[in-house]
Amino acid sequence: MDGLFERLDVEVSQANEHLRQVQLEVDPTNPDADALVRRETEYHALNSKIDRLNLAQLGLVFGRIDIASDDPDNPVPGQPGLDRRYIGRMGLDVREEGYRNLLLDWRVPMARPFYLATTAQPEGVHLRRHIRTAGRKITKIDDEYLSGEALDGSLDGVGGESALLSAMAAARTGHMHSIVETIQREQDLIIRDEHRGIMVVEGGPGTGKTAVALHRVAYLLYTAREQLSKSGVLIVGPNPDFLNYISRVLPELGETGVVLATIGELYPGVIGNAAESLLTREVKGSEEMVTILNEAVRAYQVLPDRTLELPHGSLTLLIDAQMIKAARTRARRSQRAHNDAQEIFAEHLISQLAAQLAESIGADPLGGQNLLSAADVDQLHDDLAGEIGVEKLIDEYWPRLDPEEVLRGLLEDAEAIEYAAGDYDEETRAALLRDQGSPWAASDAALLDELAVMVGLPDPETLAARADQAWRQQVVEAQEALDILTGSASTDNDDDLFDAEILSAHDVIDAETLAGRQIVSDSRSTAERAREDHTWAYGHVIIDEAQELSPMEWRMIFRRSPSRWMSLVGDTAQTGSPAGVDSWAETLEPYVGERFHHHELTVNYRTPAEIMEVANRILAHISPEASPATAIRESGKPVSFLPLGAEYSFPGDGLSKVITAENVTEIKGLEFDHVFVIEPAAIIARSPQGWQDLYVAVTRATQTLTIVGELPEI
């Protein structure tokens, strides 16, 4: 291990020196645009490499296998036909020896037997060694003999028992640890699944669903890096605490270019975390909101209640409701998004106005054909299109809309709700109404995303292109103004009295605007650009606690995954959302039909058998046909039951958590050493999914569980 760290230190030092040289290559006082682009690209690539090298030191090497091989890279002394392979968080080799492997990245095929081997299926492995470290020091070694005379009697199908049980028994820290050292066979099969479609990973509490999902991200970023480095990976978690809990795992695995977000953060610029009633969440999560939102947009496509007058020179044009309606019908039939259809509305309305104006000024007093030619009418059309009065008319009856404005206008106005949701019952309409200026809730993100599609909100690249076009137009106009000034200037032949001064367009554009155009390229990472773009198409999407997503949220998610390459992790027995998933097949059918893979994790590594005995009784009440995962360890500490109001104290070791009806939704996906569940009956009564919430609550513990209050008969 000392030798591996020495080699790693050399690579870090060389990368840092290369980075220093790159920063010196370009003269900042007179930069060349092409050189700046090259430097920016190389600078970010080197920084990324240095980050990976530094992060790899957190448990650089954690395993070794002595495995049968016809062509060993590192022959085992005295044991011909065996290859000694060290496994770690990154790969290292000896270039001067034909790239001989010193350390295998855990994701490469040659390292896979470390995870797959069991006593029943040794995969050619004679010895598996687990190496535990603290910094650069080895703290413990566990050896398992999987074939030959010294065969261990470890659990069939569960490899690395000693290392696994040690990891499970360790105290929680508030942050999830990677399981890269203890990945089990059934987990490895999911992590390395090559399916390029929808994959559902289902499993009960403690089966490692989240860990599998995160290690799958790291594996995919390794095997499909070229594709995913450009398109990015999105991980959606149930709450901010969960995202903080898992935040260190991917960096520890050497991966940092990933977007982590709750469902309420998926619409750029909005953080939805305001509390809502269960009924409100259910109504806003229903797919019926598509109809309601569509009506909310159409409410802005109004008709005048009287004939309008539009002055035009010495004439007055009249606009009645029928003219507006005809233009509105033409725009609606275009099937374009609202803002995009404004152009069609405007064109049809202006054409009607031009025809009316042509009739007024070109009518033959003798009753013959109109005296204006088609070209004359076209000119009238163009003249009207540039008039401020016409522009105001268009903006009033087909205004450009913003999703946030539309949603606030709907949810904070009883009359707007009555118009858009008039076909629904009073309880539904009341659930939608909220106070003026209310903060955003998590359920709003999907509604804003839906509205962005309906109104046609452009993506950031389109906005940037428009800004660039406006800039170029500004330069052209400034130069034209200077050309006019130059052409009309008086000539002064007294060169001794006046210094010649030649102005350019840039001299009449303010300095701040000019400076803003000197940005050579967008140097943001893929993850940074993706987070700010509601139209971004991710290469891969991971959803943890996927059973919590509502139909509206699934629509938002699938817009971000046009390739339909996703890993969905969840357990329908733990569904706590009133609009959540009851059936994966029913939920996914509108998007992929029956074309999805289903994996099930069957071993509970986290929760002691004593706790699962209680939890499984709850599971049988929720889903009698469900098969509980097998708990592989015992704590020796039975579940404690205390009467409501009884005093209790936290153990001195590990992380403790009190779970009540008020905070049960906030502990999704988390784990604690010691859990105190207060008043189970209140948790059950709080929601139609109360039993599922109780099931989640009692399965958060890794060591002890105390139930305060009576547990209902089950």
Side-chain angles (χ1 to χ4, degrees):
M1 194 172 78
D2 290 342
L4 290 172
F5 272 112
E6 286 176 9
R7 188 166 289 271
L8 182 66
D9 289 341
V10 169
E11 291 209 18
V12 171
S13 177
Q14 290 175 344
N16 277 314
E17 175 59 24
H18 191 181
L19 180 64
R20 190 182 70 82
Q21 293 296 331
V22 166
Q23 291 172 309
L24 295 175
E25 284 179 3
V26 178
D27 179 4
T29 61
N30 186 28
D32 171 73
D34 291 338
L36 273 176
V37 171
R38 288 195 302 272
R39 186 188 73 167
E40 285 293 311
T41 301
E42 196 168 7
Y43 173 82
H44 288 286
L46 282 168
N47 265 319
S48 178
K49 178 180 180 180
I50 292 169
D51 285 343
R52 288 198 303 272
L53 292 173
N54 287 329
L55 287 165
Q57 299 186 47
L58 303 172
L60 175 64
V61 56
F62 52 78
R64 188 193 98 190
I65 51 175
D66 292 349
I67 184 171
S69 174
D70 294 332
D71 184 23
D73 235 17
N74 299 283
V76 178
Q79 299 187 59
L82 289 184
D83 188 22
R84 179 158 290 172
R85 301 174 187 172
Y86 282 90
I87 318 296
R89 297 178 187 274
M90 67 174 293
L92 290 172
D93 49 41
V94 188
R95 295 178 181 84
E96 59 271 23
E97 296 181 19
Y99 292 90
R100 178 173 64 85
N101 289 316
L102 292 179
L103 180 67
L104 294 175
D105 189 299
W106 67 273
R107 294 165 287 196
V108 302
M110 289 178 65
R112 195 175 188 190
F114 180 79
Y115 301 111
L116 294 182
T118 67
T119 54
Q121 295 174 283
E123 305 288 338
V125 176
H126 285 231
L127 169 70
R128 172 169 48 210
R129 168 168 287 179
H130 292 272
I131 304 169
R132 297 181 215 169
T133 61
R136 299 191 174 201
K137 300 291 184 182
I138 295 175
T139 60
K140 190 176 182 182
I141 288 175
D142 287 305
D143 284 347
E144 297 171 285
Y145 292 90
L146 302 180
S147 62
E149 295 180 0
L151 178 66
D152 282 348
S154 57
L155 292 174
D156 183 16
V158 180
E161 181 186 353
S162 59
L164 174 65
L165 295 182
S166 175
M168 290 297 98
R172 307 300 101 175
T173 63
H175 283 279
M176 184 179 183
H177 296 291
S178 75
I179 62 165
V180 67
E181 300 95 337
T182 58
I183 293 171
Q184 298 301 301
R185 186 183 185 91
E186 70 172 7
Q187 297 172 329
D188 186 81
L189 293 172
I190 297 170
I191 290 169
R192 300 174 193 261
D193 192 318
E194 298 299 328
H195 180 59
R196 285 295 186 103
I198 302 293
M199 185 174 76
V200 175
V201 181
E202 190 157 24
T207 54
K209 298 185 298 296
T210 298
V212 166
L214 295 177
H215 287 71
R216 177 163 172 76
V217 170
Y219 176 76
L220 293 177
L221 284 168
Y222 181 83
T223 58
R225 186 173 298 280
E226 184 175 354
Q227 174 188 349
L228 295 181
S229 63
K230 298 174 183 177
S231 56
V233 172
L234 170 66
I235 298 179
V236 179
N239 54 61
D241 287 340
F242 173 84
L243 294 181
N244 181 56
Y245 173 62
I246 69 170
S247 60
R248 296 184 184 177
V249 174
L250 285 172
E252 284 180 7
L253 296 174
E255 302 298 346
T256 56
V258 174
V259 175
L260 278 75
T262 65
I263 201 73
E265 297 171 330
L266 280 188
Y267 187 78
V270 170
I271 298 178
N273 53 19
E276 288 185 309
S277 72
L278 291 171
L279 178 58
T280 297
R281 289 168 56 197
E282 183 175 10
V283 171
K284 291 168 68 177
S286 166
E287 200 162 6
E288 291 299 315
M289 284 302 303
V290 176
T291 301
I292 294 173
L293 293 176
N294 188 55
E295 288 301 314
V297 171
R298 290 166 72 95
Y300 288 85
Q301 303 164 2
V302 296
L303 300 176
D305 55 7
R306 58 182 176 81
T307 299
L308 306 174
E309 296 183 351
L310 179 68
H312 180 77
S314 60
L315 301 175
T316 298
L317 297 175
L318 301 178
I319 303 101
D320 59 22
Q322 282 303 114
M323 293 174 66
I324 300 291
K325 185 177 183 180
R328 184 179 72 175
T329 299
R330 186 69 61 89
R332 285 179 174 177
R333 286 178 178 172
S334 72
Q335 299 296 308
R336 291 190 188 181
H338 172 89
N339 288 350
D340 297 336
Q342 188 194 58
E343 179 183 353
I344 296 174
F345 175 87
E347 172 63 26
H348 194 67
L349 181 60
I350 293 172
S351 294
Q352 293 179 81
L353 292 174
Q356 184 183 136
L357 185 57
E359 183 62 28
S360 297
I361 63 177
D364 185 349
L366 300 178
Q369 189 176 5
N370 194 290
L371 300 177
L372 298 182
S373 66
D376 294 330
V377 176
D378 288 342
Q379 185 59 53
L380 293 177
H381 178 287
D382 294 344
D383 292 342
L384 285 166
E387 289 194 3
I388 293 177
V390 174
E391 292 177 355
K392 289 182 177 180
L393 193 68
I394 293 166
D395 288 337
E396 182 174 356
Y397 292 100
W398 196 283
R400 297 191 70 82
L401 299 178
D402 172 77
E404 295 180 37
E405 174 190 5
V406 174
L407 190 56
R408 287 200 181 280
L410 171 66
L411 301 181
E412 298 176 6
D413 187 331
E415 290 185 6
I417 292 175
E418 180 66 32
Y419 176 89
D423 292 338
Y424 299 86
D425 58 44
E426 184 177 345
E427 189 179 25
T428 297
R429 297 195 297 272
L432 289 174
L433 184 62
R434 67 189 186 200
D435 294 337
Q436 293 278 336
S438 294
W440 296 115
S443 60
D444 290 325
L447 306 188
L448 289 167
D449 202 68
E450 194 76 35
L451 282 168
V453 175
M454 288 181 176
V455 306
L457 191 69
D459 60 83
E461 290 189 7
T462 299
L463 289 173
R466 289 178 183 173
D468 189 64
Q469 173 108 19
W471 155 257
R472 295 177 186 279
Q473 184 60 32
Q474 190 176 357
V475 171
V476 169
E477 291 173 356
Q479 191 61 60
E480 287 176 351
L482 285 175
D483 291 343
I484 293 172
L485 289 173
T486 302
S488 60
S490 58
T491 302
D492 196 323
N493 294 322
D494 193 349
D495 291 338
D496 293 335
L497 294 177
F498 296 94
D499 291 327
E501 185 179 50
I502 301 174
L503 294 177
S504 72
H506 288 181
D507 293 314
V508 295
I509 299 174
D510 67 89
E512 184 177 355
T513 303
L514 182 60
R517 305 312 302 174
Q518 302 309 306
I519 300 173
V520 176
S521 65
D522 189 344
S523 62
R524 294 173 301 165
S525 68
T526 296
E528 289 170 332
R529 288 185 290 120
R531 185 181 290 277
E532 297 172 17
D533 186 353
H534 74 282
T535 66
W536 192 270
Y538 288 92
H540 193 76
V541 175
I542 300 270
I543 306 176
D544 202 297
E545 303 292 344
Q547 76 277 355
E548 299 301 316
L549 267 59
S550 70
M552 290 301 295
E553 289 163 349
W554 283 112
R555 289 172 64 89
M556 174 170 61
I557 288 291
F558 274 99
R559 276 194 283 270
R560 282 154 177 76
S561 181
S563 68
R564 302 298 192 256
W565 190 19
M566 303 168 67
S567 300
L568 312 178
V569 179
D571 178 14
T572 54
Q574 300 183 60
T575 300
S577 169
V581 175
D582 293 322
S583 162
W584 296 113
E586 290 179 9
T587 296
L588 300 175
E589 194 278 332
Y591 306 101
V592 294
E594 298 179 355
R595 300 184 307 278
F596 66 91
H597 279 201
H598 185 273
H599 289 279
E600 186 171 2
L601 293 166
T602 62
V603 180
N604 184 335
Y605 305 98
R606 178 186 71 206
T607 319
E610 295 88 343
I611 295 175
M612 286 310 301
E613 190 277 326
V614 174
N616 288 340
R617 283 156 47 199
I618 299 173
L619 175 62
H621 180 80
I622 297 169
S623 180
E625 72 283 359
S627 298
T630 302
I632 65 168
R633 69 187 184 95
E634 297 179 353
S635 66
K637 300 172 184 176
V639 176
S640 298
F641 292 88
L642 298 175
L644 191 63
E647 292 185 1
Y648 55 87
S649 58
F650 298 153
D653 62 318
L655 198 63
S656 296
K657 183 67 175 180
V658 175
I659 301 177
T660 67
E662 285 69 36
N663 73 347
V664 68
T665 59
E666 300 169 7
I667 49 88
K668 285 274 186 181
L670 304 180
E671 60 182 33
F672 311 90
D673 295 286
H674 311 286
V675 168
F676 298 80
V677 176
I678 311 300
E679 199 173 0
I683 294 176
I684 294 171
R686 177 182 174 273
S687 163
Q689 282 72 38
W691 281 102
Q692 286 91 331
D693 288 340
L694 181 61
Y695 182 59
V696 170
V698 301
T699 55
R700 297 306 94 197
T702 65
Q703 303 299 331
T704 68
L705 170 65
T706 301
I707 295 178
V708 182
E710 186 176 352
L711 185 66
E713 288 292 331
I714 46 179

